[in-house]
Amino acid sequence: MNRGARKPGRLVVVSNRVALPQQTSTGGLASAMQAALRERGGLWFGWSGKVSGNRELHQHTDGPIDYATIDLSRTDHDDFYAGFANSTLWPLLHYRPDLVDYQREHLDGYLRVNELFAEHLVKLLKPSDILWVHDYHLIPLAAMLRARGVRNRIGFFLHTPLPAAALLIALPQHRALLETLASYDLIGLHSARDLRALEDYFLHEAGGAMRPGGGLRAASGRSFRAGVFPISIDTALVAKTARAAEAHEEIGQLRKSLEGRSLIIGVDRLDYSKGLAQRFMAYAHLLEREPELHRRITFLQIAPPSRGAVPEYRQIRRELERMAGHINGMYAAPDWAPIRYVNQSFPHSLLTGYYRHARVGLVTPLRDGMNLVAKEYVASQNPKDPGVLILSRFAGAAFELSDALLVNPADTAEVADALERALKMPLKERRQRWRSMMDVLERRDITVWRNAFLDALAATPAPARMTQPASAAASQITLAKRPLDEPSPRYE
Ligand code: GDG
């Protein structure tokens, strides 16, 4: 199979959403994948983002990169995307069992769409391709590909946290689903905490074992590796963009509107995992406690809405509007609003300019796989007069950015204390903390991240030739309405 083994094969990236070339401003991951695909040639496969009755594959080539996308039907979208992925897995993976909405039809839809991905993808693969599958939407994909005879190396990266085994087992059918992870050759996680959770789950809940030479063996007998690969940003590019943003008219307008006040900034997708309600409470607590800060600070929270089809997201939006209104109602003066809450998205270049102007970056998710905003905030700072990052201990970024002011986001007083400390921090300390965090980001940027993962994937033992069409793991996930043994294209 591995003819011409010295030349790395084509890279095939699979993710729920595909960033088409005309949408490259989407930032971090999209540009990292595009850079990798440009370098070695490859294919990016996933959902087009469209909901339609069209079941055909859309193909498009841009230089060395092929793009292949499919639309989802309304039912598939509702069951797979809004349903199992974002109403069941997302809250579970973010330690929120109270928000988990489990419905059997949603799981069926999740498996159905993964089958659909596998069915299309298998026709596009070449024997020397190396596959990189992204995120919780596609956990069983490798098992479904293996069931179709695919023997290529397949890596998986989980962008969310992985909670402790005790939580994972709350998911009905957890073993049937999670054991399919063993069909990947390499599983990448953001932090050592996530890796521990994966090992613990396989060892203590799924009958697996550690292998003497490293890696894990699942109960099915299949071996795979797992490792920590903290995602990063294009540090040099973000720094350059932030410098250049000084000249943007919008940045001048922001500066003027502040009238010398210190800016505190938060930038998050509107999501309950980001801890926005707790953050607003901490800010209100600071205003209540420190009247001398009134009129001297402004908190700008940018929160572009996401996943509006999921009820919890509509609810958090209403709650935050109420809280922002309440804080302004309590503390605003005719010439000062303590909080500017903006439900809108901005070009990334402008965001970096806003970060650079903020004395404090307030990044306090309740749980976050990594949190790229924290890294972008640091990279955007003016080295001569850098701001201070306040960072949740529960973001993956806290493992690397230990010179931020680390807080527990649920502790209102602790976050308020950190805000006060950040606002009053002397320049020398700000510079020291920033330099040490920037060193980390310069050493480990997004290119280092993707190369580390791809090198580790290439170094995994070649997947064994299968003696039966479906792996044990794949055959367990026959929960979908459409059975797995329905005729599917053969992969030679
Ligand atoms: C998931 C995991 C993990 C935000 N507002 C705008 C905008 N953004 C950009 C930011 C940043 C990205 O979106 C958000 O990344 P995060 O990492 O903060 O969070 P998630 O979206 O939840 O990402 C997370 C990540 O995957 C990568 O593995 O770190 O833990 O949850 O780049 O700048 N970009 C633009 N306009 C906005 O208004 N253009």
Side-chain angles (χ1 to χ4, degrees):
M1 279 313 253
N2 263 335
R3 275 167 290 142
R6 304 205 69 75
K7 190 174 175 289
R10 204 172 60 139
L11 173 65
V12 175
V13 173
V14 190
S15 57
N16 175 49
R17 292 295 299 274
V18 173
L20 294 169
Q22 61 270 27
Q23 309 164 337
T24 40
S25 63
T26 35
L29 179 68
S31 35
M33 288 304 110
Q34 252 141 6
L37 287 163
R38 257 196 314 276
E39 227 171 77
R40 54 198 286 174
L43 166 71
W44 195 339
F45 177 86
W47 174 36
S48 61
K50 293 198 189 98
V51 174
S52 84
N54 184 347
R55 300 300 261 182
E56 275 162 32
L57 188 71
H58 314 295
Q59 283 177 287
H60 166 88
T61 299
D62 185 51
I65 314 180
D66 294 322
Y67 294 90
T69 58
I70 50 169
D71 298 353
L72 292 183
S73 69
R74 169 56 57 196
T75 316
D76 283 352
H77 169 274
D78 293 354
D79 292 346
F80 157 76
Y81 181 72
F84 196 72
N86 286 324
S87 299
T88 312
L89 287 179
W90 178 270
L92 180 78
L93 294 168
H94 288 85
Y95 297 68
R96 292 296 304 269
D98 55 317
L99 295 182
V100 169
D101 171 18
Y102 174 80
Q103 295 180 33
R104 184 63 181 267
E105 313 81 81
H106 291 173
L107 174 59
D108 289 347
Y110 178 82
L111 297 173
R112 190 168 64 236
V113 171
N114 272 271
E115 287 284 6
L116 189 67
F117 269 45
E119 236 167 71
H120 281 287
L121 192 54
V122 81
K123 291 183 242 169
L124 302 170
L125 294 180
K126 297 177 184 166
S128 59
D129 288 344
I130 188 160
L131 279 73
W132 191 355
V133 178
H134 290 268
D135 233 355
Y136 60 100
H137 313 85
L138 301 173
I139 290 170
L141 185 66
M144 292 171 176
L145 289 169
R146 301 269 182 239
R148 288 168 166 78
V150 171
R151 293 198 297 275
N152 302 53
R153 284 196 174 81
I154 314 179
F156 177 77
F157 192 83
L158 183 67
H159 290 264
T160 67
L162 190 72
L167 255 180
L168 289 172
I169 60 170
L171 178 71
Q173 312 283 356
H174 61 88
R175 195 160 163 187
L177 180 67
L178 295 174
E179 272 197 327
T180 64
L181 282 169
S183 292
Y184 289 98
D185 298 297
L186 176 65
I187 295 173
L189 301 145
H190 283 305
S191 74
R193 183 165 50 212
D194 304 319
L195 178 61
R196 272 200 306 276
L198 182 80
E199 290 174 347
D200 187 32
Y201 180 82
F202 270 91
L203 296 186
H204 299 114
E205 299 293 341
M210 297 300 278
R211 298 190 63 225
L216 288 149
R217 194 175 54 252
S220 65
R222 198 172 192 286
S223 295
F224 63 101
R225 295 192 176 251
V228 175
F229 301 89
I231 198 170
S232 195
I233 55 167
D234 188 337
T235 310
L237 181 66
V238 172
K240 189 171 144 209
T241 311
R243 272 197 307 276
E246 301 265 19
H248 285 202
E249 197 187 330
E250 289 91 335
I251 300 300
Q253 283 165 350
L254 172 70
R255 189 189 306 122
K256 204 163 148 237
S257 76
L258 289 172
E259 295 174 326
R261 295 182 186 108
S262 296
L263 179 67
I264 300 164
I265 196 167
V267 175
D268 307 78
R269 255 183 333 96
L270 192 47
D271 191 301
Y272 49 80
S273 67
K274 302 294 182 182
L276 292 168
Q278 291 78 358
R279 191 181 304 173
F280 282 17
M281 272 191 296
Y283 183 62
H285 187 67
L286 178 76
L287 294 174
E288 190 192 327
R289 211 177 67 178
E290 309 292 333
E292 87 280 7
L293 287 175
H294 292 197
R295 292 165 177 274
R296 291 173 48 203
I297 56 178
T298 294
F299 174 26
L300 169 62
Q301 176 64 55
I302 294 175
S306 67
R307 304 175 192 170
V310 179
E312 282 75 20
Y313 287 77
R314 296 197 293 273
Q315 193 189 323
I316 182 87
R317 186 171 182 174
R318 281 194 300 274
E319 186 187 349
L320 292 170
E321 276 162 9
R322 189 189 57 73
M323 289 180 81
H326 182 70
I327 294 170
N328 279 337
M330 285 281 288
Y331 300 104
D335 59 345
W336 174 62
I339 183 162
R340 299 179 187 178
Y341 175 52
V342 186
N343 275 150
Q344 190 189 319
S345 87
F346 294 89
H348 206 257
S349 56
L350 208 52
L351 279 187
T352 62
Y354 292 153
Y355 293 140
R356 192 174 175 92
H357 267 281
R359 170 49 55 89
V360 183
L362 191 51
V363 184
T364 54
L366 300 175
R367 291 284 165 181
D368 221 327
M370 175 54 64
N371 195 297
L372 295 178
V373 168
K375 293 188 169 184
E376 291 166 358
Y377 175 78
V378 171
S380 299
Q381 294 309 298
N382 177 352
K384 295 202 183 98
D385 187 19
V388 181
L389 176 66
I390 298 177
L391 179 60
S392 164
R393 294 177 186 284
F394 307 125
F399 284 90
E400 293 173 284
L401 303 181
S402 50
D403 273 302
L405 298 183
L406 296 180
V407 292
N408 180 333
D411 188 340
T412 307
E414 190 186 26
V415 177
D417 289 346
L419 275 167
E420 191 181 354
R421 186 169 166 207
L423 288 161
K424 294 179 178 165
M425 190 180 283
L427 178 61
K428 189 166 170 226
E429 184 179 351
R430 281 191 276 129
R431 281 192 183 151
Q432 278 166 353
R433 286 176 179 273
W434 174 79
R435 188 63 263 169
S436 104
M437 291 191 283
M438 193 62 176
D439 283 346
V440 173
L441 298 182
E442 283 170 345
R443 244 191 345 265
R444 294 204 290 265
D445 69 1
I446 187 83
T447 308
V448 170
W449 173 75
R450 72 168 158 85
N451 287 338
F453 185 87
L454 287 172
D455 289 350
L457 178 58
T460 55
R465 188 174 281 269
M466 282 186 312
T467 49
Q468 53 184 50
S471 72
S475 61
Q476 283 175 23
I477 43 166
T478 47
L479 301 158
K481 292 273 185 297
R482 193 156 46 90
L484 284 170
D485 57 3
E486 194 173 88
S488 60
R490 289 277 319 145
Y491 175 76
E492 298 304 331

